[in-house]
Amino acid sequence: MYYYSTYRAVLCACVFMMAAAQFAGCSSRRQVDYSSEVKPILNKHCISCHGGVKQSGGFSVLFREEALGNTKSGHPAIIPGDAGRSEFIRRLHSKDPKERMPYKSAPLSKEEISILTRWVEQGAQWGEHWAYVAPAAPKEKEAGIDFYINEKLEEENLGAAPAADKVTLLRRLSLDLTGLPPADNMMAAFLADNSAGAYEKMVDTLLASRHYGERWAAMWLDLARFADSKGYEKDAKREAWRYRDWVISAFNKDMPYNRFTVEQLAGDLLPDPTDDQMIATAFHRNTMNNDEGGTQDEEFRTAAVIDRVNTTMEVFQGTTIACVQCHAHPYDPFHFEDYYKLMAFLNNTRDEDTPGEYPTLRLYDSIGRRQVDTVAAWVAGHAGKDEEKEIRDFLRTLEPKIHAHDHDSFVNGELADTKYLSIRNGGSCRLKDAPVNGRGNLLMFYWTRNDGGSMEIRANSLTGPVIGRTRLEKGRGIINVPIEPLEGRHNLFFVFRNSSLEPLQSVCAVEWMAFREDLPGKGEPGYRTVETAFMKLVNAAPESVPVMVENPGEMFRPTHVFERGNWLVKGEQMQPDVPASLNPFPANAPRNRLGLALWMTSKENPLTARVMVNRFWEQLFGTGIVETQEDFGTQGFLPSHPALLDYLAYRFMNTHGWSMKALLKEMVMSAAYRRDSRSSPELQEKDPANRLLARGPRFRLTAEQVRDQALAVSGLLSERMYGASVMPYQPEGIWQAVYSGQAWKTSEDGNQYRRAVYTYIRRTSPYPSLVTFDGSSREVCLQRRIRTNTPLQALVTLNDPVFVEAARHLALKMKTSGGANKAACIRAGYKAAMFKDIDPARLGILEKLYAQAQAKYSKAPKDAAALVQAGEDAHLAALTVVANAILNLDEFLSKS
């Protein structure tokens, strides 16, 4: 028996060793996958010293051409196909601490060294990161979201939760698609409809709701860093709300996502752009603007362009590109020069960080539009369609203009506050290399409190010929100064005079000027009338919104590399281009913002559709298929369901034609979305974060939904849409507005009860309750709100006057429904909030709370009156306390 046992043990050992040897042989022959096996090791252990930021020893593992090139030793560290002669591998085995890599860190594991060794032996091939390969058409058998979800659940041996009950499901769906709880009649209709298509009918109804656009705009405005103020120190008011309204309208119209992208990046460059397409470009005018005295406009113009590069790549490509401003990306295949090639697309616009936030789209009233048509008709009749378009474009934006900060060579004057020409009597300044180009008029915006001023313009020097002069009347406005037409570009010197002034007084202040040709038809009958109408329009002050306008050819702005990221140290000039690691630039696309937008919305682009699909998924399920939705690069999380992400991205582009509503419908129609959200011990152990989606989504509502739901349930919510931002209740002293005298003035006439998406956002002092629930201050693009859970949130919903008022109004509804019967009142309040009957345990707790509050307010009638603002009613005051508790229930503040 002993010998038999020994023999069996030896035999098993031999079999095991043979199997291990066979496995090792197979393993050594198996092709190493760069993306999943090699790249994580390099990122973790090597790239901090041998990557885009730092290249110790002249060795970098960021790009293949660098890794295989010569190091400082004059020899390559990696010799493809020969691990034994590769210094890269030898250093991993070295016993000398000065030689062994990683330097001054723990050695790599045997498994890691084996992977790298086999990789070099197999030729050191670089693989493509999954996100940089365009999603392919799904296989025929792979049909539907649930196919992929269920496949993963089967792999993990997990059972799926049953479908959620109808009440829970419709509340979830309504909050997701419109940001509001369902109306009572909608819930009643759904509960009464037992047909197979009842749920889909609700989906279609909610997608068609006008409130759908408000809900999804709230998400997009974080990405667009939309705010009602400029940011920085002064943080003055900005009239940008029309952009928000454009976003709401675009979602409601189900504007295809590719068009949605193009219009925001380059609506002004489309043929004959409409006002709406121009307003869409405010996406990139949401950058901050610095009005502080003493700042250099070019510095903050550059900061705005940098923000646009970063935001464009973050929002539409899910790519962290900001670090490439200073060096090659440490982890992803983006070269240092790629940043400035992208910048070249966005760097040639007219905005220059001026207080007026030019260019702005001027939105004339009906009278103004008729005057524009009159002037345009004159121009068309005397010149042609091209000239008509030019005059219409100019009257829309008053561009191109030249700003005061472009002047230099000041004599007895200065650039006041670094913004305005301020020249004293006899003083002068120069406009260098002015693009006169044969134009015979100079429009100039100036103001002065003094009579008797004058200005003359000399060509090429202070003693050069006078080409124009004008009187400077007391007042403020835009004047036309006739000048002698000069061909080409010239240095122009502006001399100001007013001998009646004190020595330190300036003759006037000048903000901008523009060179213009005469209107066509000069000298003909009616010309003076048209010219007067033109100047009246130029001097009009219609409502406006900051927009993007491209520089004309004569004002082209070249883009240079910033050495080490320093905008003051210009290097090689860059031409507009896209990273070689992504899809090629479209062959016939223009090399401007429009071309960039067309490149991004090409079906060959591997990221655009995936990123937006993932964003919608995160909004519905709580976590994206790629959790790091701000980073699809190699440092981001891998997709939980990669094939599902590609399936949805492909369908988004090809089946749905970029329809966002169709994509959302497909998601919410899935069984995965409709499941009960309750977990189980097995699920909690295996998948606590619900990444496998065995159960339905359950997480706290967004900041906007928390507020909107409370107002809706109480009956206070205003359904008024669009228009200027409003100021609901906010505690005194929150704003500390310097210089401007701005103040928070609580809105009235129901505007204080409008949806949170319309709330005024001041960047340096955002609305407190929204920020407490993880809303954004909108200073920069926010890709993903990280949900927090803090006592401050409870303090808001328990004590903020907005929520207390909502509770008071809900209590009034409860009293109307239940009269003096406290139990009936509480049942009514709970059902109004949750659309279902309260269970006995909850009812008992709330009845106890009612009794305590009723006893307190019976003894303190004045306190009751202060709470309910409707007389000394202890019953109503107690109901208000209970209503406040209902509005603070976890199930009310969560989507379950």
Side-chain angles (χ1 to χ4, degrees):
M1 180 66 99
Y2 170 78
Y3 292 109
Y4 177 74
S5 299
T6 303
Y7 171 76
R8 186 171 61 177
V10 171
L11 179 62
C12 289
C14 290
V15 170
F16 175 79
M17 286 188 289
M18 289 173 65
Q22 185 177 14
F23 174 79
C26 292
S27 178
S28 65
R29 288 193 298 273
R30 182 181 62 81
Q31 191 71 26
V32 176
D33 183 74
Y34 174 81
S35 295
S36 64
E37 296 180 274
V38 176
K39 183 66 172 173
I41 298 173
L42 299 180
N43 282 359
K44 181 179 179 181
H45 298 289
C46 310
I47 212 151
S48 59
C49 294
H50 303 284
V53 182
K54 191 177 178 183
Q55 298 186 5
S56 297
F59 178 54
S60 169
V61 292
L62 186 57
F63 299 102
R64 189 171 195 268
E65 63 272 19
E66 293 176 349
L68 303 186
N70 288 342
T71 64
K72 283 185 178 178
S73 68
H75 304 284
I78 297 176
I79 301 174
D82 194 344
R85 293 176 54 231
S86 294
E87 186 73 4
F88 171 65
I89 299 299
R90 189 189 73 79
R91 292 287 190 103
L92 300 177
H93 293 277
S94 176
K95 302 298 183 185
D96 184 345
K98 293 182 179 179
E99 275 200 335
R100 183 186 56 75
M101 295 294 157
Y103 185 58
K104 291 186 177 180
S105 296
L108 268 59
S109 68
K110 290 182 179 179
E111 182 184 3
E112 290 172 324
I113 293 174
S114 173
I115 289 171
L116 294 179
T117 303
R118 287 186 289 120
W119 172 62
V120 173
E121 278 294 337
Q122 292 169 3
Q125 294 299 315
W126 253 245
E128 287 190 276
H129 181 53
W130 67 268
Y132 304 145
V133 179
K139 298 175 184 177
E140 287 186 13
K141 68 169 186 174
E142 296 172 348
I145 290 172
D146 294 310
F147 170 86
Y148 299 98
I149 301 295
N150 295 337
E151 185 178 54
K152 184 77 74 171
L153 291 176
E154 287 176 13
E155 287 177 13
E156 298 293 331
N157 197 28
L158 284 174
D165 64 86
K166 294 183 79 171
V167 169
T168 298
L169 184 56
L170 183 58
R171 179 175 179 267
R172 176 191 301 170
L173 181 71
S174 184
L175 285 166
D176 273 339
L177 295 186
T178 69
L180 297 171
D184 290 341
N185 60 348
M186 179 180 285
M187 180 63 78
F190 183 53
L191 293 177
D193 188 349
N194 294 314
S195 67
Y199 176 72
E200 185 173 8
K201 190 187 302 180
M202 288 294 105
V203 172
D204 292 336
T205 298
L206 290 166
L207 286 172
S209 167
R210 60 185 186 145
H211 299 304
Y212 162 86
E214 294 173 318
R215 181 266 186 267
W216 292 99
M219 173 201 73
W220 189 260
L221 296 180
D222 273 0
L223 300 168
R225 64 272 194 245
F226 167 82
D228 297 285
S229 68
K230 301 181 185 182
Y232 295 117
E233 183 209 29
K234 288 187 177 179
D235 201 18
K237 184 178 182 180
R238 171 184 283 165
E239 291 288 351
W241 54 266
R242 285 180 176 83
Y243 169 75
R244 179 204 56 221
D245 287 1
W246 179 89
V247 174
I248 295 171
S249 178
F251 273 109
N252 275 340
K253 293 175 182 175
D254 196 24
M255 181 182 288
Y257 184 65
N258 56 346
R259 181 179 154 201
F260 184 74
T261 300
V262 168
E263 292 197 7
Q264 290 183 86
L265 292 178
D268 59 306
L269 297 176
L270 294 170
D272 298 318
T274 63
D275 281 357
D276 278 352
Q277 288 170 333
M278 293 288 290
I279 290 169
T281 68
F283 173 81
H284 268 330
R285 292 307 308 282
N286 286 326
T287 46
M288 294 195 292
N289 202 80
N290 198 340
D291 290 350
E292 183 184 352
T295 59
Q296 189 170 348
D297 290 341
E298 178 61 13
E299 176 184 359
F300 288 95
R301 185 200 70 81
T302 301
V305 175
I306 289 171
D307 174 81
R308 289 168 193 164
V309 176
N310 300 343
T311 297
T312 299
M313 293 301 285
E314 286 179 32
V315 170
F316 300 105
Q317 302 292 279
T319 297
T320 56
I321 200 79
C323 59
V324 187
Q325 179 190 342
C326 299
H327 49 73
H329 202 294
Y331 305 107
D332 294 313
F334 301 116
H335 292 273
F336 173 56
E337 293 78 13
D338 286 340
Y339 191 90
Y340 297 94
K341 291 175 183 177
L342 288 169
M343 182 183 282
F345 287 109
L346 298 160
N347 193 36
N348 194 35
T349 55
R350 289 299 311 127
D351 57 292
E352 297 182 9
D353 195 71
T354 58
E357 297 212 279
Y358 309 115
T360 58
L361 177 66
R362 295 154 62 83
L363 299 164
Y364 297 98
D365 59 18
S366 58
I367 296 173
R369 289 195 296 273
R370 285 197 296 271
Q371 290 174 334
V372 171
D373 290 341
T374 297
V375 173
W378 173 277
V379 172
H382 290 81
K385 289 294 182 183
D386 289 345
E387 288 77 6
E388 179 192 9
K389 182 180 185 307
E390 192 280 333
I391 201 71
R392 284 187 181 276
D393 288 347
F394 182 77
L395 289 173
R396 277 178 117 184
T397 62
L398 301 188
E399 292 290 347
K401 59 172 68 79
I402 294 169
H403 297 285
H405 59 223
D406 289 324
H407 295 69
D408 60 13
S409 300
F410 290 92
V411 176
N412 196 24
E414 61 183 343
L415 191 61
D417 207 24
T418 67
K419 299 174 179 66
Y420 312 112
L421 294 185
S422 179
I423 312 298
R424 295 179 279 276
N425 180 40
S428 64
C429 62
R430 178 183 70 167
L431 178 59
K432 185 179 179 181
D433 204 26
V436 184
N437 293 328
R439 300 183 181 96
N441 298 280
L442 178 76
L443 299 184
M444 186 175 80
F445 180 35
Y446 84 101
W447 56 92
T448 179
R449 296 178 179 177
N450 306 297
D451 285 320
S454 67
M455 179 190 75
E456 65 183 31
I457 307 169
R458 294 180 175 269
N460 303 318
S461 74
L462 273 173
T463 58
V466 175
I467 64 167
R469 55 166 51 95
T470 187
R471 295 177 60 190
L472 298 172
E473 304 288 351
K474 181 180 179 180
R476 179 188 186 92
I478 301 167
I479 59 172
N480 183 26
V481 184
I483 60 173
E484 180 184 334
L486 300 174
E487 293 302 324
R489 307 176 78 97
H490 295 266
N491 292 338
L492 299 184
F493 290 80
F494 295 79
V495 183
F496 295 82
R497 294 190 174 88
N498 189 337
S499 58
S500 67
L501 301 180
E502 295 294 326
L504 296 181
Q505 280 185 280
S506 63
V507 175
C508 67
V510 177
E511 184 176 7
W512 60 261
M513 51 188 63
F515 294 100
R516 300 286 305 165
E517 293 179 352
D518 288 331
L519 295 175
K522 188 174 184 178
E524 295 187 19
Y527 178 84
R528 288 296 179 194
T529 302
V530 172
E531 186 180 45
T532 300
F534 172 76
M535 288 305 299
K536 183 178 179 181
L537 287 166
V538 167
N539 273 285
E543 293 185 359
S544 63
V545 58
V547 294
M548 300 288 272
V549 173
E550 199 78 350
N551 277 326
E554 66 185 15
M555 301 175 81
F556 172 77
R557 183 184 293 114
T559 299
H560 294 266
V561 166
F562 298 164
E563 298 293 350
R564 296 180 179 271
N566 185 345
W567 73 280
L568 292 172
V569 184
K570 304 290 197 296
E572 180 185 357
Q573 184 174 339
M574 291 286 109
Q575 299 302 317
D577 207 352
V578 295
S581 53
L582 300 177
N583 55 303
F585 194 77
N588 299 319
R591 293 276 172 170
N592 57 19
R593 284 179 287 114
L594 179 57
L596 179 65
L598 295 174
W599 169 77
M600 285 190 169
T601 54
S602 164
K603 291 181 181 180
E604 295 179 20
N605 187 290
L607 290 165
T608 305
R610 279 189 180 119
V611 168
M612 196 57 181
V613 162
N614 192 61
R615 186 172 288 133
F616 277 130
W617 190 272
E618 187 268 347
Q619 292 286 307
L620 297 179
F621 290 90
T623 305
I625 298 174
V626 178
E627 184 172 344
T628 52
Q629 64 186 61
E630 67 281 357
D631 187 2
F632 273 55
T634 60
Q635 289 296 93
F637 286 19
L638 290 172
S640 59
H641 300 77
L644 172 59
L645 179 61
D646 283 5
Y647 166 83
L648 287 171
Y650 185 87
R651 283 178 60 81
F652 186 33
M653 293 185 287
N654 296 282
T655 306
H656 299 317
W658 297 96
S659 165
M660 293 183 273
K661 285 188 177 182
L663 174 65
L664 283 168
K665 181 175 180 178
E666 181 168 7
M667 289 180 179
V668 300
M669 288 297 296
S670 68
Y673 176 81
R674 297 155 72 173
R675 287 181 182 133
D676 191 293
S677 66
R678 284 172 289 191
S679 190
S680 66
E682 181 189 15
L683 272 180
Q684 283 300 103
E685 181 182 352
K686 277 194 168 185
D687 187 24
N690 197 33
R691 300 293 285 123
L692 300 176
L693 300 170
R695 60 178 176 83
R698 187 183 192 281
F699 50 91
R700 200 199 62 223
L701 302 177
T702 67
E704 292 85 356
Q705 290 169 339
V706 167
R707 182 178 185 276
D708 292 349
Q709 181 184 227
L711 292 174
V713 166
S714 71
L716 280 173
L717 184 69
S718 168
E719 294 199 355
R720 192 177 305 169
M721 293 181 67
Y722 303 119
S725 296
V726 297
M727 296 181 177
Y729 175 82
Q730 174 175 281
E732 292 292 331
I734 296 293
W735 273 21
Q736 299 294 324
V738 296
Y739 310 118
S740 63
Q742 292 183 95
W744 186 274
K745 298 178 181 177
T746 303
S747 299
E748 299 176 344
D749 300 326
N751 283 316
Q752 67 270 41
Y753 306 126
R754 294 186 67 187
R755 293 193 66 172
V757 71
Y758 300 108
T759 297
Y760 191 103
I761 299 293
R762 188 165 188 258
R763 285 176 155 125
T764 56
S765 184
Y767 192 62
S769 67
L770 296 184
V771 174
T772 304
F773 280 94
D774 309 319
S776 168
S777 67
R778 306 278 174 78
E779 290 170 296
V780 294
C781 165
L782 179 67
Q783 280 271 41
R784 176 171 55 132
R785 292 185 186 179
I786 305 298
R787 282 181 288 272
T788 63
N789 189 7
T790 76
L792 290 176
Q793 292 160 356
L795 290 174
V796 166
T797 50
L798 284 168
N799 301 300
D800 187 297
V802 171
F803 292 90
V804 172
E805 187 173 9
R808 182 165 58 246
H809 278 259
L810 177 58
L812 285 169
K813 292 172 64 175
M814 293 161 65
K815 184 179 179 182
T816 300
S817 178
N821 186 326
K822 66 178 180 182
C825 291
I826 294 171
R827 289 192 187 96
Y830 183 83
K831 190 159 190 174
M834 299 307 305
F835 301 97
K836 58 187 178 183
D837 294 328
I838 191 169
D839 61 67
R842 283 186 176 86
L843 178 61
I845 294 170
L846 292 177
E847 283 184 318
K848 183 177 180 181
L849 176 63
Y850 171 90
Q852 292 171 344
Q854 202 272 343
K856 172 188 172 182
Y857 286 115
S858 294
K859 296 175 182 177
K862 290 185 179 179
D863 290 346
L867 177 62
V868 302
Q869 297 183 4
E872 298 176 353
D873 188 337
H875 174 52
L876 182 58
L879 288 178
T880 300
V881 171
V882 172
N884 187 250
I886 291 172
L887 298 183
N888 276 272
L889 291 174
D890 182 63
E891 59 184 314
F892 181 74
L893 298 174
S894 299
K895 182 183 76 172
S896 61

